[in-house]
Amino acid sequence: MEKPAVANHPHAALPPAPGADRHHCLDFADTAATLPAGQSYDLLAAPDSAMRWLATHDLTTPDVQLYEVCAQRMRTLRGHVRALFAARVEGVAPPEESLRAVNQALTAVPSAPLLAWDGAQGLRRVQAHPTDQAVNHALATIAADAADLLTGPDADLLAACGSAPCDRFLLRTHGRRHWCSTRCGDRARAARAYARRNDTSE
């Protein structure tokens, strides 16, 4: 049975995890999360919320209309990015289909600015962003960022939130911190204190 989604409540979503300011792909992976008391949220659950996420991260323009098929593609790529992150954190081989999906997103659009001509400016290089390919470009950007994170110096800092049931990812930007938010850190400390009290009372 699916957990109740609370994506329609803007304050339900946790703040960006440490490292999300450096890597959009981290924030992308964390657009869905499990919360205590059997709750969850999904910021890509509907086209309008998915569009808001893209616009907030400067990955599309306001004139682009997002349809459910596009939101579904975003959710699918998110699942694959999360699978790659989880494999890296656990030190296991990544799923073959997730590698394929990220590579397909990477190669779906031209990565180099194209050569164009117009009467006023003559020859110039332009980044192709036709409206019907806006989501392709956004997903390619996210996939490239994920590939850079997984192969770059920040890869060793990638971690899963250590406060169950939260399942978000973060970069350990402060020592050995394993919490994606203050709320999760407080919950983990409270759980440890409770466990210690129980140990001493027995």
Side-chain angles (χ1 to χ4, degrees), residues 93-186:
E96 207 46 60
E97 65 269 22
S98 295
L99 287 173
R100 256 196 320 272
V102 168
N103 283 331
Q104 284 170 356
L106 275 169
T107 56
V109 295
S111 57
L114 304 179
L115 189 62
W117 162 268
D118 67 52
Q121 298 183 42
L123 282 171
R124 59 197 178 96
R125 298 287 295 276
V126 295
Q127 190 68 53
H129 275 280
T131 300
D132 62 343
Q133 290 188 26
V135 172
N136 285 354
H137 280 274
L139 295 184
T141 301
I142 292 166
D145 188 42
D148 288 343
L149 170 55
L150 289 165
T151 59
D154 285 342
D156 289 337
L157 302 177
L158 187 63
C161 183
S163 179
C166 183
D167 53 2
R168 298 207 308 165
F169 292 97
L170 66 140
L171 294 186
R172 293 190 308 275
T173 52
H174 296 292
R176 295 182 58 79
R177 172 178 171 166
H178 275 264
W179 305 306
C180 73
S181 66
T182 302
R183 187 163 76 177
C184 281
D186 290 345

Side-chain angles (χ1 to χ4, degrees), residues 1 9 18 38 59 66 82 179 202:
M1 184 195 298
H9 300 280
L59 291 170
L66 211 63
R82 287 183 60 82
W179 305 306
E202 287 178 3

